[in-house]
Short mmCIF file of all heavy atoms in Angstrom, two decimals:
data_model
loop_
_atom_site.label_atom_id
_atom_site.label_comp_id
_atom_site.label_asym_id
_atom_site.label_seq_id
_atom_site.Cartn_x
_atom_site.Cartn_y
_atom_site.Cartn_z
N ILE A 3 3.80 1.59 -1.24
CA ILE A 3 4.43 1.73 -2.56
C ILE A 3 3.45 2.36 -3.54
O ILE A 3 3.82 3.22 -4.34
CB ILE A 3 4.93 0.36 -3.07
CG1 ILE A 3 6.04 -0.15 -2.16
CG2 ILE A 3 5.40 0.47 -4.50
CD1 ILE A 3 6.49 -1.55 -2.47
N VAL A 4 2.18 1.99 -3.46
CA VAL A 4 1.17 2.55 -4.35
C VAL A 4 0.99 4.04 -4.07
O VAL A 4 0.95 4.85 -5.00
CB VAL A 4 -0.18 1.80 -4.18
CG1 VAL A 4 -1.27 2.50 -4.96
CG2 VAL A 4 -0.05 0.35 -4.58
N ILE A 5 0.90 4.42 -2.81
CA ILE A 5 0.77 5.83 -2.46
C ILE A 5 2.00 6.61 -2.88
O ILE A 5 1.91 7.72 -3.40
CB ILE A 5 0.50 5.98 -0.94
CG1 ILE A 5 -0.87 5.41 -0.60
CG2 ILE A 5 0.60 7.45 -0.52
CD1 ILE A 5 -1.16 5.35 0.87
N GLU A 6 3.17 6.02 -2.69
CA GLU A 6 4.41 6.68 -3.09
C GLU A 6 4.44 6.87 -4.60
O GLU A 6 4.87 7.92 -5.09
CB GLU A 6 5.60 5.83 -2.64
CG GLU A 6 6.93 6.48 -2.87
CD GLU A 6 8.05 5.64 -2.31
OE1 GLU A 6 8.08 5.42 -1.09
OE2 GLU A 6 8.89 5.19 -3.12
N ASN A 7 3.99 5.90 -5.37
CA ASN A 7 3.95 6.02 -6.83
C ASN A 7 2.97 7.10 -7.27
O ASN A 7 3.24 7.84 -8.21
CB ASN A 7 3.59 4.69 -7.47
CG ASN A 7 4.73 3.71 -7.42
OD1 ASN A 7 5.89 4.09 -7.26
ND2 ASN A 7 4.42 2.44 -7.53
N ILE A 8 1.83 7.18 -6.60
CA ILE A 8 0.83 8.19 -6.95
C ILE A 8 1.37 9.59 -6.67
O ILE A 8 1.23 10.50 -7.48
CB ILE A 8 -0.49 7.93 -6.19
CG1 ILE A 8 -1.17 6.68 -6.75
CG2 ILE A 8 -1.42 9.13 -6.29
CD1 ILE A 8 -2.39 6.25 -5.98
N VAL A 9 2.01 9.77 -5.53
CA VAL A 9 2.59 11.07 -5.18
C VAL A 9 3.71 11.43 -6.16
O VAL A 9 3.79 12.58 -6.62
CB VAL A 9 3.11 11.07 -3.72
CG1 VAL A 9 3.92 12.30 -3.43
CG2 VAL A 9 1.95 10.93 -2.74
N THR A 10 4.53 10.48 -6.51
CA THR A 10 5.60 10.72 -7.48
C THR A 10 5.02 11.11 -8.83
O THR A 10 5.49 12.05 -9.47
CB THR A 10 6.48 9.47 -7.62
OG1 THR A 10 6.98 9.10 -6.35
CG2 THR A 10 7.63 9.72 -8.57
N TYR A 11 4.00 10.41 -9.26
CA TYR A 11 3.33 10.69 -10.53
C TYR A 11 2.76 12.11 -10.53
O TYR A 11 2.91 12.85 -11.50
CB TYR A 11 2.25 9.64 -10.75
CG TYR A 11 1.60 9.66 -12.10
CD1 TYR A 11 2.33 9.39 -13.26
CD2 TYR A 11 0.25 9.94 -12.23
CE1 TYR A 11 1.74 9.41 -14.49
CE2 TYR A 11 -0.35 9.95 -13.46
CZ TYR A 11 0.39 9.69 -14.59
OH TYR A 11 -0.21 9.72 -15.81
N PHE A 12 2.12 12.51 -9.43
CA PHE A 12 1.55 13.84 -9.32
C PHE A 12 2.64 14.90 -9.35
O PHE A 12 2.50 15.93 -10.02
CB PHE A 12 0.72 13.96 -8.04
CG PHE A 12 0.12 15.32 -7.84
CD1 PHE A 12 -0.92 15.75 -8.63
CD2 PHE A 12 0.61 16.17 -6.87
CE1 PHE A 12 -1.48 17.00 -8.47
CE2 PHE A 12 0.07 17.42 -6.69
CZ PHE A 12 -0.98 17.84 -7.49
N MET A 13 3.72 14.68 -8.64
CA MET A 13 4.81 15.66 -8.61
C MET A 13 5.46 15.83 -9.98
O MET A 13 5.81 16.95 -10.38
CB MET A 13 5.86 15.27 -7.57
CG MET A 13 5.36 15.35 -6.13
SD MET A 13 4.65 16.94 -5.70
CE MET A 13 6.06 18.01 -5.89
N VAL A 14 5.61 14.73 -10.70
CA VAL A 14 6.16 14.82 -12.06
C VAL A 14 5.23 15.63 -12.95
O VAL A 14 5.68 16.46 -13.75
CB VAL A 14 6.40 13.40 -12.63
CG1 VAL A 14 6.66 13.44 -14.12
CG2 VAL A 14 7.55 12.72 -11.91
N LEU A 15 3.94 15.43 -12.80
CA LEU A 15 2.96 16.17 -13.59
C LEU A 15 3.01 17.67 -13.26
O LEU A 15 3.01 18.50 -14.15
CB LEU A 15 1.56 15.61 -13.34
CG LEU A 15 0.44 16.16 -14.19
CD1 LEU A 15 0.68 15.83 -15.66
CD2 LEU A 15 -0.87 15.57 -13.73
N VAL A 16 3.10 18.01 -11.98
CA VAL A 16 3.19 19.42 -11.57
C VAL A 16 4.46 20.05 -12.14
O VAL A 16 4.42 21.16 -12.68
CB VAL A 16 3.15 19.56 -10.03
CG1 VAL A 16 3.51 20.97 -9.60
CG2 VAL A 16 1.80 19.16 -9.47
N VAL A 17 5.57 19.37 -12.03
CA VAL A 17 6.84 19.91 -12.53
C VAL A 17 6.80 20.07 -14.06
O VAL A 17 7.28 21.08 -14.60
CB VAL A 17 8.02 19.03 -12.08
CG1 VAL A 17 9.30 19.40 -12.79
CG2 VAL A 17 8.20 19.11 -10.57
N LEU A 18 6.22 19.11 -14.75
CA LEU A 18 6.12 19.20 -16.21
C LEU A 18 5.29 20.41 -16.63
O LEU A 18 5.69 21.18 -17.50
CB LEU A 18 5.52 17.91 -16.77
CG LEU A 18 5.35 17.85 -18.27
CD1 LEU A 18 6.70 17.84 -18.96
CD2 LEU A 18 4.55 16.62 -18.64
N ILE A 19 4.15 20.59 -16.01
CA ILE A 19 3.30 21.74 -16.34
C ILE A 19 3.99 23.04 -15.92
O ILE A 19 3.91 24.05 -16.63
CB ILE A 19 1.91 21.59 -15.71
CG1 ILE A 19 1.18 20.43 -16.38
CG2 ILE A 19 1.11 22.87 -15.83
CD1 ILE A 19 -0.15 20.09 -15.79
N LEU A 20 4.70 23.04 -14.82
CA LEU A 20 5.44 24.23 -14.38
C LEU A 20 6.51 24.60 -15.40
O LEU A 20 6.68 25.78 -15.73
CB LEU A 20 6.08 23.97 -13.01
CG LEU A 20 6.85 25.11 -12.39
CD1 LEU A 20 5.93 26.28 -12.09
CD2 LEU A 20 7.54 24.65 -11.12
N ILE A 21 7.21 23.62 -15.92
CA ILE A 21 8.24 23.88 -16.94
C ILE A 21 7.61 24.47 -18.20
O ILE A 21 8.13 25.43 -18.80
CB ILE A 21 9.03 22.60 -17.25
CG1 ILE A 21 9.91 22.24 -16.05
CG2 ILE A 21 9.87 22.75 -18.51
CD1 ILE A 21 10.56 20.88 -16.14
N LEU A 22 6.45 23.94 -18.61
CA LEU A 22 5.77 24.49 -19.78
C LEU A 22 5.33 25.93 -19.55
O LEU A 22 5.46 26.77 -20.44
CB LEU A 22 4.56 23.62 -20.13
CG LEU A 22 4.88 22.23 -20.66
CD1 LEU A 22 3.60 21.41 -20.83
CD2 LEU A 22 5.65 22.31 -21.96
N TYR A 23 4.84 26.23 -18.36
CA TYR A 23 4.46 27.60 -18.05
C TYR A 23 5.67 28.52 -18.02
O TYR A 23 5.59 29.67 -18.47
CB TYR A 23 3.76 27.67 -16.69
CG TYR A 23 2.26 27.77 -16.78
CD1 TYR A 23 1.46 26.69 -16.45
CD2 TYR A 23 1.65 28.95 -17.19
CE1 TYR A 23 0.08 26.79 -16.53
CE2 TYR A 23 0.29 29.06 -17.27
CZ TYR A 23 -0.50 27.98 -16.95
OH TYR A 23 -1.84 28.07 -17.03
N ILE A 24 6.78 28.06 -17.51
CA ILE A 24 7.99 28.90 -17.47
C ILE A 24 8.46 29.21 -18.88
O ILE A 24 8.83 30.35 -19.18
CB ILE A 24 9.09 28.21 -16.63
CG1 ILE A 24 8.71 28.24 -15.16
CG2 ILE A 24 10.43 28.90 -16.84
CD1 ILE A 24 9.61 27.44 -14.26
N PHE A 25 8.44 28.22 -19.78
CA PHE A 25 8.82 28.49 -21.16
C PHE A 25 7.87 29.49 -21.81
O PHE A 25 8.29 30.39 -22.53
CB PHE A 25 8.86 27.20 -21.99
CG PHE A 25 10.11 26.42 -21.78
CD1 PHE A 25 10.04 25.05 -21.53
CD2 PHE A 25 11.35 27.01 -21.84
CE1 PHE A 25 11.19 24.31 -21.33
CE2 PHE A 25 12.51 26.28 -21.64
CZ PHE A 25 12.42 24.92 -21.39
N GLU A 26 6.58 29.37 -21.53
CA GLU A 26 5.62 30.33 -22.07
C GLU A 26 5.90 31.72 -21.51
O GLU A 26 5.83 32.72 -22.23
CB GLU A 26 4.20 29.91 -21.72
CG GLU A 26 3.17 30.88 -22.25
CD GLU A 26 1.77 30.52 -21.81
OE1 GLU A 26 1.56 29.45 -21.22
OE2 GLU A 26 0.88 31.34 -22.07
N PHE A 27 6.23 31.80 -20.22
CA PHE A 27 6.55 33.07 -19.59
C PHE A 27 7.78 33.70 -20.22
O PHE A 27 7.81 34.90 -20.50
CB PHE A 27 6.76 32.85 -18.09
CG PHE A 27 7.29 34.04 -17.35
CD1 PHE A 27 6.49 35.15 -17.14
CD2 PHE A 27 8.57 34.04 -16.83
CE1 PHE A 27 6.97 36.25 -16.45
CE2 PHE A 27 9.05 35.12 -16.13
CZ PHE A 27 8.25 36.23 -15.94
N LEU A 28 8.82 32.92 -20.46
CA LEU A 28 10.05 33.45 -21.04
C LEU A 28 9.85 33.88 -22.49
O LEU A 28 10.43 34.86 -22.94
CB LEU A 28 11.17 32.42 -20.94
CG LEU A 28 11.67 32.13 -19.53
CD1 LEU A 28 12.69 31.01 -19.56
CD2 LEU A 28 12.26 33.36 -18.89
N ILE A 29 9.03 33.14 -23.21
CA ILE A 29 8.81 33.47 -24.62
C ILE A 29 7.86 34.65 -24.76
O ILE A 29 8.05 35.52 -25.60
CB ILE A 29 8.26 32.24 -25.37
CG1 ILE A 29 9.36 31.18 -25.47
CG2 ILE A 29 7.76 32.62 -26.76
CD1 ILE A 29 8.88 29.86 -26.00
N LYS A 30 6.83 34.71 -23.90
CA LYS A 30 5.77 35.71 -24.05
C LYS A 30 6.27 37.14 -23.91
O LYS A 30 6.16 37.93 -24.82
CB LYS A 30 4.67 35.43 -23.03
CG LYS A 30 3.40 36.17 -23.30
CD LYS A 30 2.30 35.64 -22.45
CE LYS A 30 1.00 36.21 -22.92
NZ LYS A 30 -0.13 35.63 -22.29
N ASP A 31 6.80 37.47 -22.76
CA ASP A 31 7.22 38.85 -22.54
C ASP A 31 8.10 38.90 -21.30
O ASP A 31 7.62 38.75 -20.19
CB ASP A 31 5.99 39.74 -22.35
CG ASP A 31 6.35 41.22 -22.35
OD1 ASP A 31 7.52 41.54 -22.60
OD2 ASP A 31 5.46 42.03 -22.10
N LYS A 32 9.38 39.12 -21.51
CA LYS A 32 10.31 39.13 -20.38
C LYS A 32 10.15 40.36 -19.50
O LYS A 32 10.33 40.31 -18.30
CB LYS A 32 11.75 39.05 -20.87
CG LYS A 32 12.14 37.71 -21.38
CD LYS A 32 13.61 37.70 -21.71
CE LYS A 32 14.04 36.31 -22.09
NZ LYS A 32 15.45 36.24 -22.35
N LYS A 33 9.80 41.50 -20.08
CA LYS A 33 9.75 42.74 -19.32
C LYS A 33 8.52 42.83 -18.42
O LYS A 33 8.62 43.15 -17.26
CB LYS A 33 9.79 43.94 -20.26
CG LYS A 33 11.12 44.11 -20.96
CD LYS A 33 11.07 45.28 -21.88
CE LYS A 33 10.50 44.75 -23.19
NZ LYS A 33 10.46 45.68 -24.27
N ASN A 34 7.37 42.56 -18.97
CA ASN A 34 6.14 42.75 -18.21
C ASN A 34 5.65 41.48 -17.52
O ASN A 34 4.71 41.54 -16.75
CB ASN A 34 5.03 43.26 -19.13
CG ASN A 34 5.32 44.66 -19.60
OD1 ASN A 34 5.95 45.42 -18.89
ND2 ASN A 34 4.87 44.99 -20.78
N GLY A 35 6.24 40.38 -17.81
CA GLY A 35 5.77 39.13 -17.21
C GLY A 35 4.40 38.79 -17.75
O GLY A 35 4.14 38.88 -18.93
N LEU A 36 3.51 38.42 -16.86
CA LEU A 36 2.15 38.06 -17.26
C LEU A 36 1.18 39.21 -16.99
O LEU A 36 0.01 38.98 -16.72
CB LEU A 36 1.71 36.81 -16.49
CG LEU A 36 2.55 35.57 -16.69
CD1 LEU A 36 2.07 34.46 -15.78
CD2 LEU A 36 2.51 35.12 -18.13
N GLY A 37 1.65 40.42 -17.07
CA GLY A 37 0.85 41.58 -16.69
C GLY A 37 -0.41 41.78 -17.48
O GLY A 37 -1.29 42.51 -17.06
N THR A 38 -0.53 41.17 -18.64
CA THR A 38 -1.71 41.37 -19.46
C THR A 38 -2.70 40.21 -19.37
O THR A 38 -3.76 40.28 -19.98
CB THR A 38 -1.31 41.56 -20.93
OG1 THR A 38 -0.58 40.41 -21.36
CG2 THR A 38 -0.46 42.80 -21.10
N THR A 39 -2.41 39.17 -18.63
CA THR A 39 -3.32 38.04 -18.56
C THR A 39 -4.49 38.35 -17.65
O THR A 39 -4.43 39.20 -16.77
CB THR A 39 -2.61 36.77 -18.06
OG1 THR A 39 -2.13 37.00 -16.74
CG2 THR A 39 -1.46 36.37 -18.96
N LYS A 40 -5.58 37.62 -17.86
CA LYS A 40 -6.79 37.85 -17.07
C LYS A 40 -6.59 37.47 -15.60
O LYS A 40 -7.13 38.13 -14.72
CB LYS A 40 -7.94 37.08 -17.66
CG LYS A 40 -8.31 37.55 -19.04
CD LYS A 40 -9.76 37.37 -19.31
CE LYS A 40 -10.10 37.74 -20.71
NZ LYS A 40 -10.24 39.13 -20.95
N SER A 41 -5.82 36.44 -15.33
CA SER A 41 -5.59 36.05 -13.94
C SER A 41 -4.81 37.14 -13.20
O SER A 41 -5.12 37.46 -12.05
CB SER A 41 -4.86 34.71 -13.87
OG SER A 41 -3.64 34.77 -14.56
N PHE A 42 -3.82 37.69 -13.86
CA PHE A 42 -3.05 38.79 -13.27
C PHE A 42 -3.94 39.99 -12.99
O PHE A 42 -3.92 40.55 -11.90
CB PHE A 42 -1.91 39.17 -14.23
CG PHE A 42 -0.96 40.18 -13.67
CD1 PHE A 42 0.18 39.77 -13.00
CD2 PHE A 42 -1.19 41.53 -13.82
CE1 PHE A 42 1.07 40.69 -12.49
CE2 PHE A 42 -0.31 42.46 -13.31
CZ PHE A 42 0.82 42.04 -12.65
N GLN A 43 -4.73 40.38 -13.98
CA GLN A 43 -5.61 41.54 -13.82
C GLN A 43 -6.67 41.29 -12.76
O GLN A 43 -7.04 42.21 -12.03
CB GLN A 43 -6.28 41.88 -15.17
CG GLN A 43 -5.30 42.34 -16.23
CD GLN A 43 -4.52 43.57 -15.81
OE1 GLN A 43 -5.03 44.46 -15.15
NE2 GLN A 43 -3.26 43.62 -16.20
N PHE A 44 -7.17 40.05 -12.66
CA PHE A 44 -8.17 39.72 -11.63
C PHE A 44 -7.61 39.96 -10.24
O PHE A 44 -8.25 40.60 -9.40
CB PHE A 44 -8.60 38.26 -11.79
CG PHE A 44 -9.41 37.75 -10.63
CD1 PHE A 44 -10.74 38.10 -10.49
CD2 PHE A 44 -8.84 36.92 -9.68
CE1 PHE A 44 -11.49 37.64 -9.42
CE2 PHE A 44 -9.58 36.45 -8.61
CZ PHE A 44 -10.91 36.82 -8.48
N ILE A 45 -6.42 39.45 -9.98
CA ILE A 45 -5.82 39.58 -8.66
C ILE A 45 -5.49 41.04 -8.34
O ILE A 45 -5.78 41.53 -7.24
CB ILE A 45 -4.57 38.69 -8.53
CG1 ILE A 45 -4.98 37.22 -8.60
CG2 ILE A 45 -3.82 38.96 -7.24
CD1 ILE A 45 -3.82 36.26 -8.71
N VAL A 46 -4.95 41.75 -9.30
CA VAL A 46 -4.56 43.16 -9.08
C VAL A 46 -5.79 44.02 -8.83
O VAL A 46 -5.82 44.83 -7.90
CB VAL A 46 -3.74 43.70 -10.27
CG1 VAL A 46 -3.55 45.19 -10.17
CG2 VAL A 46 -2.40 42.99 -10.34
N ARG A 47 -6.84 43.83 -9.62
CA ARG A 47 -8.03 44.68 -9.49
C ARG A 47 -8.85 44.33 -8.26
O ARG A 47 -9.36 45.22 -7.57
CB ARG A 47 -8.89 44.58 -10.73
CG ARG A 47 -8.29 45.29 -11.91
CD ARG A 47 -9.17 45.23 -13.12
NE ARG A 47 -8.50 45.84 -14.26
CZ ARG A 47 -8.74 45.52 -15.51
NH1 ARG A 47 -9.63 44.59 -15.79
NH2 ARG A 47 -8.08 46.10 -16.47
N LYS A 48 -9.02 43.05 -8.00
CA LYS A 48 -9.86 42.66 -6.87
C LYS A 48 -9.26 43.10 -5.54
O LYS A 48 -9.97 43.54 -4.65
CB LYS A 48 -10.07 41.15 -6.86
CG LYS A 48 -10.97 40.71 -5.72
CD LYS A 48 -11.33 39.27 -5.78
CE LYS A 48 -12.26 38.99 -4.61
NZ LYS A 48 -12.64 37.63 -4.54
N TYR A 49 -7.95 42.97 -5.41
CA TYR A 49 -7.30 43.30 -4.15
C TYR A 49 -6.63 44.66 -4.16
O TYR A 49 -5.93 45.01 -3.21
CB TYR A 49 -6.31 42.19 -3.76
CG TYR A 49 -7.03 40.93 -3.41
CD1 TYR A 49 -7.21 39.92 -4.33
CD2 TYR A 49 -7.60 40.77 -2.15
CE1 TYR A 49 -7.90 38.77 -4.01
CE2 TYR A 49 -8.30 39.63 -1.82
CZ TYR A 49 -8.44 38.63 -2.75
OH TYR A 49 -9.15 37.51 -2.43
N ASN A 50 -6.80 45.43 -5.25
CA ASN A 50 -6.27 46.79 -5.35
C ASN A 50 -4.78 46.84 -5.00
O ASN A 50 -4.35 47.58 -4.13
CB ASN A 50 -7.08 47.73 -4.45
CG ASN A 50 -6.87 49.18 -4.80
OD1 ASN A 50 -6.44 49.49 -5.90
ND2 ASN A 50 -7.16 50.06 -3.86
N LEU A 51 -4.01 46.02 -5.70
CA LEU A 51 -2.59 45.90 -5.41
C LEU A 51 -1.79 47.02 -6.07
O LEU A 51 -2.09 47.43 -7.18
CB LEU A 51 -2.07 44.54 -5.88
CG LEU A 51 -2.71 43.30 -5.27
CD1 LEU A 51 -2.13 42.05 -5.89
CD2 LEU A 51 -2.52 43.29 -3.76
N ASP A 52 -0.78 47.48 -5.37
CA ASP A 52 0.15 48.48 -5.88
C ASP A 52 1.24 47.75 -6.65
O ASP A 52 2.01 46.99 -6.06
CB ASP A 52 0.74 49.29 -4.72
CG ASP A 52 1.67 50.38 -5.19
OD1 ASP A 52 1.49 50.87 -6.32
OD2 ASP A 52 2.58 50.75 -4.42
N MET A 53 1.29 47.96 -7.96
CA MET A 53 2.22 47.20 -8.79
C MET A 53 3.32 48.10 -9.32
O MET A 53 3.07 49.18 -9.83
CB MET A 53 1.48 46.55 -9.96
CG MET A 53 0.39 45.59 -9.55
SD MET A 53 0.94 44.28 -8.44
CE MET A 53 2.01 43.36 -9.48
N ASN A 54 4.56 47.65 -9.19
CA ASN A 54 5.68 48.27 -9.86
C ASN A 54 6.36 47.17 -10.69
O ASN A 54 5.90 46.04 -10.73
CB ASN A 54 6.64 48.94 -8.86
CG ASN A 54 7.20 47.97 -7.84
OD1 ASN A 54 7.33 46.79 -8.10
ND2 ASN A 54 7.52 48.49 -6.67
N ARG A 55 7.43 47.50 -11.34
CA ARG A 55 8.07 46.56 -12.25
C ARG A 55 8.51 45.27 -11.56
O ARG A 55 8.32 44.18 -12.06
CB ARG A 55 9.26 47.23 -12.91
CG ARG A 55 9.86 46.45 -14.01
CD ARG A 55 10.96 47.24 -14.65
NE ARG A 55 11.17 46.76 -16.00
CZ ARG A 55 12.02 47.27 -16.84
NH1 ARG A 55 12.72 48.32 -16.47
NH2 ARG A 55 12.15 46.78 -18.04
N MET A 56 9.08 45.39 -10.37
CA MET A 56 9.56 44.22 -9.64
C MET A 56 8.39 43.37 -9.17
O MET A 56 8.44 42.15 -9.22
CB MET A 56 10.41 44.68 -8.45
CG MET A 56 11.12 43.56 -7.77
SD MET A 56 12.28 42.85 -8.94
CE MET A 56 13.35 42.01 -7.84
#
Side-chain angles (χ1 to χ4, degrees):
I3 295 173
V4 172
I5 293 173
E6 186 176 298
N7 286 339
I8 290 173
V9 170
T10 304
Y11 189 63
F12 178 72
M13 292 307 297
V14 167
L15 187 63
V16 169
V17 169
L18 180 67
I19 292 175
L20 182 64
I21 290 170
L22 291 174
Y23 259 108
I24 289 172
F25 280 132
E26 180 184 353
F27 171 70
L28 292 175
I29 291 171
K30 194 168 191 173
D31 190 6
K32 286 186 175 183
K33 291 178 274 185
N34 292 330
L36 300 175
T38 58
T39 62
K40 296 211 185 280
S41 57
F42 186 92
Q43 295 301 324
F44 169 77
I45 294 171
V46 170
R47 287 182 184 153
K48 181 173 182 182
Y49 292 97
N50 197 20
L51 300 178
D52 182 27
M53 300 305 293
N54 59 28
R55 189 176 203 177
M56 189 64 161

